[in-house]
Amino acid sequence: MQFITILLLFLCTAFPLLHMFNALPIFLNRKKPGQHKVLEYKTMSILIPCYNEESIIETAIKGMERIDYLAKEVIYINDGSQDGTLKKLHNHLRLIPEERKVAKELRYKNIKHFYKSSLYPNVYVIDKENGGKDDALNAGIEYAKNELVVTLDADSILADNALQQLNKVFQDDNVIAAGGMVHALQGVSFNKNKVYHTLLVNHVVRFQIFDFIKGFYINRISLAKLDALSVISGAFGIFNKEILFQVGGYRKTLGEDIDITLKFQQYILKNRGKKMVFVPEAVCYTECPETWRDLFKQRVRWQKAFIDCIVHYFPMLIKTFPFRTVSFFFLIDSFVVGTIAIYISLFNLGNMLITNIDEARNLIIFYLLGAVLFNLIYSMFAVILARYYGVRFKGKEKIRLAVTIVLDLFVFRFVTLFIVLYGTMAYFVNRNDWNKVARTGRIYELEKDKGMVKVG
């Protein structure tokens, strides 16, 4: 047991250190998007699944209005909403019936109607029976007519240049999927084409703002460089449509984003040279839970989704473990270090409290001095990297950031550890519980000076 404890301690230190230094810009192993010579505008179909999104759908529509990427279509997929989502789509888009032939290669619930907007060009709505997010995305893929498929949540707003940044990356025909950077929508304000970052929000949102900064600017960037990307966020991802058909679309699961990413990794295994990337310059803003209850529900679902993919893909992960970095990091870094190590650490601590309370006290002191210091350094690295990519906090925001970092170390870190423990056990009790998080109902102020142009 002592050997296992020492090994886990080493892994818990080694992997974060690796990601910290690997995420530094001096170790970039791909050209920055601006260095690509753009040859053409890749056509993109933006899919936005909607289930009971009455309170946020107006913001979603305004968000699409801001995007001036011309080679695109926008498809809202009303997945059997029981509120006024479809009515609002009708009111804001002035929908009229449209016909579009589809291949019917993927599985999804019955399509009631297909509409196009009479106000905006290349904007459509699918009205279908409820089947879940994966089902809605499969329907959207069938109806998409463009080369690339962009998946967004209904509460996700793209930055003005997000699609242009992705377009530059997809000039490389070997790139078959990409993920973008995700920020909390409540933590930004839009003014004259500029985005200002703020922490003048409640602590639940603050923790998530900083958690996104650490998770994306360190972990996600590092894993992408190592060809070990195991999740392209469901809030913002882009995929080659033909390959989506080849891998069978989305599986019925809690974690459709992890699942589809691993399906693409399986495709890459059989088609050497193909790759998926992470593009931190392509940004979207998504609404975060604002209460501890909603945050808990969301993160428990994330952990259930992770465990579900571990179980489903375990044979593939073990088989490819010796020669695929994605399998190695998904099993060791994410599963062993991120989940198993927590259980073992708690067992060791409980055992010592019973058999040797002095040793338990020394262990707690070691954690407070060692682990907290290490995580503080990790947090500062994240702030520096975020600043490199344009995320800056000014004036009083720096004080709020400092307070958030301290509370993250002593409060939010333990909250997330508990969620991992609870979510892992809950998966084996009720793995199909979706736990949809309620929308805030807030109307966000977004610019409407460019993007989709009214035509009637």
Side-chain angles (χ1 to χ4, degrees):
M1 180 59 72
Q2 186 176 9
F3 170 76
I4 294 176
T5 302
I6 295 173
L7 177 61
L8 287 177
L9 180 61
F10 169 76
L11 293 176
C12 290
T13 304
F15 280 108
L17 278 174
L18 170 63
H19 293 316
M20 282 167 55
F21 288 104
N22 192 42
L24 289 173
I26 59 174
F27 297 118
L28 283 174
N29 61 0
R30 65 171 177 85
K31 293 181 179 179
K32 291 176 71 73
Q35 293 174 295
H36 285 282
K37 182 179 179 181
V38 178
L39 302 176
E40 61 177 325
Y41 280 98
K42 298 288 185 178
T43 58
M44 302 183 188
S45 295
I46 302 173
L47 307 184
I48 306 175
C50 307
Y51 176 69
N52 292 347
E53 305 291 0
E54 178 182 11
S55 63
I56 197 71
I57 196 64
E58 182 179 350
T59 299
I61 293 171
K62 288 180 179 179
M64 284 297 102
E65 290 180 20
R66 301 171 64 248
I67 306 302
D68 60 359
Y69 189 87
L70 296 179
K72 75 175 189 303
E73 67 172 356
V74 182
I75 303 177
Y76 298 92
I77 306 138
N78 180 49
D79 189 44
S81 296
Q82 299 175 349
D83 63 356
T85 299
L86 185 60
K87 182 179 179 180
K88 281 204 169 185
L89 286 168
H90 271 287
N91 292 340
H92 288 287
L93 300 177
R94 302 293 175 86
L95 302 175
I96 58 177
E98 173 83 345
E99 293 291 334
R100 181 175 291 187
K101 293 182 179 180
V102 297
K104 296 184 179 179
E105 295 181 27
L106 303 179
R107 304 178 76 177
Y108 49 87
K109 293 294 182 68
N110 181 56
I111 304 297
K112 300 177 182 178
H113 301 284
F114 182 69
Y115 302 100
K116 71 175 181 179
S117 171
S118 61
L119 293 181
Y120 303 106
N122 299 319
V123 178
Y124 305 91
V125 171
I126 297 172
D127 182 26
K128 63 181 289 294
E129 295 178 358
N130 178 255
K133 186 177 179 181
D134 50 279
D135 193 88
L137 287 170
N138 282 341
I141 294 166
E142 287 273 18
Y143 277 79
K145 63 182 180 182
N146 292 331
E147 177 184 357
L148 301 175
V149 168
V150 179
T151 60
L152 292 179
D153 285 343
D155 59 352
S156 293
I157 306 300
L158 289 178
D160 290 352
N161 67 339
L163 297 186
Q164 285 87 344
Q165 294 291 345
L166 291 173
N167 181 59
K168 294 172 183 178
V169 170
F170 276 86
Q171 297 304 310
D172 182 351
D173 291 334
N174 285 321
V175 176
I176 60 173
M181 177 63 204
V182 178
H183 286 296
L185 183 56
Q186 295 99 318
V188 295
S189 60
F190 303 89
N191 186 16
K192 296 180 179 180
N193 296 329
K194 292 184 178 180
V195 178
Y196 297 91
H197 292 265
T198 179
L199 290 169
L200 191 58
V201 290
N202 71 39
H203 281 294
V204 177
V205 177
R206 280 194 199 182
F207 288 138
Q208 293 170 88
I209 291 172
F210 191 59
D211 197 42
F212 284 177
I213 288 175
K214 290 189 298 180
F216 282 88
Y217 286 127
I218 294 183
N219 190 265
R220 202 68 60 89
I221 286 178
S222 175
L223 289 174
K225 289 182 185 180
L226 295 165
D227 294 323
L229 204 58
S230 59
V231 55
I232 291 177
S233 175
F236 182 27
I238 182 167
F239 306 88
N240 181 292
K241 187 182 72 172
E242 289 305 314
I243 298 175
L244 282 169
F245 279 111
Q246 291 184 43
V247 301
Y250 286 82
R251 177 175 67 94
K252 190 71 176 178
T253 175
L254 284 174
E256 80 289 331
D257 49 359
I258 306 177
D259 183 76
I260 199 66
T261 308
L262 292 177
K263 280 188 174 184
F264 268 66
Q265 288 287 7
Q266 286 181 312
Y267 179 89
I268 291 172
L269 177 62
K270 300 174 183 177
N271 297 267
R272 298 301 175 88
K274 301 300 182 181
K275 58 186 175 181
M276 61 179 68
V277 299
F278 175 68
V279 189
E281 298 88 353
V283 179
C284 89
Y285 308 93
T286 191
E287 189 176 72
C288 291
E290 295 191 352
T291 66
W292 285 112
R293 177 183 175 84
D294 281 340
L295 177 64
F296 180 79
K297 288 164 59 178
Q298 182 193 68
R299 295 299 175 96
V300 166
R301 175 169 60 83
W302 288 3
Q303 183 63 18
K304 285 183 178 182
F306 169 70
I307 298 299
D308 182 68
C309 285
I310 284 286
V311 172
H312 184 78
Y313 289 98
F314 192 76
M316 181 272 288
L317 294 169
I318 288 295
K319 183 178 179 180
T320 60
F321 180 82
F323 57 91
R324 290 296 308 281
T325 53
V326 63
S327 301
F328 175 80
F329 280 93
F330 195 64
L331 284 175
I332 305 300
D333 187 14
S334 300
F335 183 53
V336 174
V337 174
T339 300
I340 299 300
I342 301 174
Y343 283 93
I344 293 177
S345 297
L346 283 178
F347 175 81
N348 285 341
L349 179 60
N351 183 59
M352 284 186 290
L353 284 172
I354 296 174
T355 60
N356 192 335
I357 194 169
D358 290 332
E359 188 175 347
R361 183 175 62 249
N362 292 336
L363 179 63
I364 294 173
I365 293 174
F366 172 79
Y367 174 83
L368 291 175
L369 295 178
V372 170
L373 178 61
F374 179 77
N375 282 283
L376 178 61
I377 295 172
Y378 190 89
S379 297
M380 296 309 299
F381 256 75
V383 172
I384 294 170
L385 287 170
R387 184 176 180 83
Y388 172 81
Y389 288 103
V391 179
R392 292 177 171 84
F393 298 95
K394 301 178 180 180
K396 293 182 179 180
E397 298 296 337
K398 292 182 178 179
I399 298 176
R400 295 189 184 103
L401 178 61
V403 172
T404 301
I405 290 174
V406 173
L407 292 177
D408 179 77
L409 293 172
F410 292 99
V411 178
F412 192 64
R413 178 173 175 80
F414 292 98
V415 172
T416 55
L417 291 178
F418 174 75
I419 288 172
V420 169
L421 292 170
Y422 181 88
T424 301
M425 293 184 292
Y427 169 78
F428 297 99
V429 176
N430 184 11
R431 68 187 62 181
N432 296 317
D433 185 10
W434 180 254
N435 274 337
K436 178 179 169 64
V437 175
R439 303 301 187 201
T440 65
R442 183 180 295 107
I443 302 297
Y444 295 92
E445 293 298 323
L446 303 173
E447 298 170 89
K448 297 180 63 175
D449 60 337
K450 63 180 181 176
M452 296 188 294
V453 179
K454 288 189 178 181
V455 295

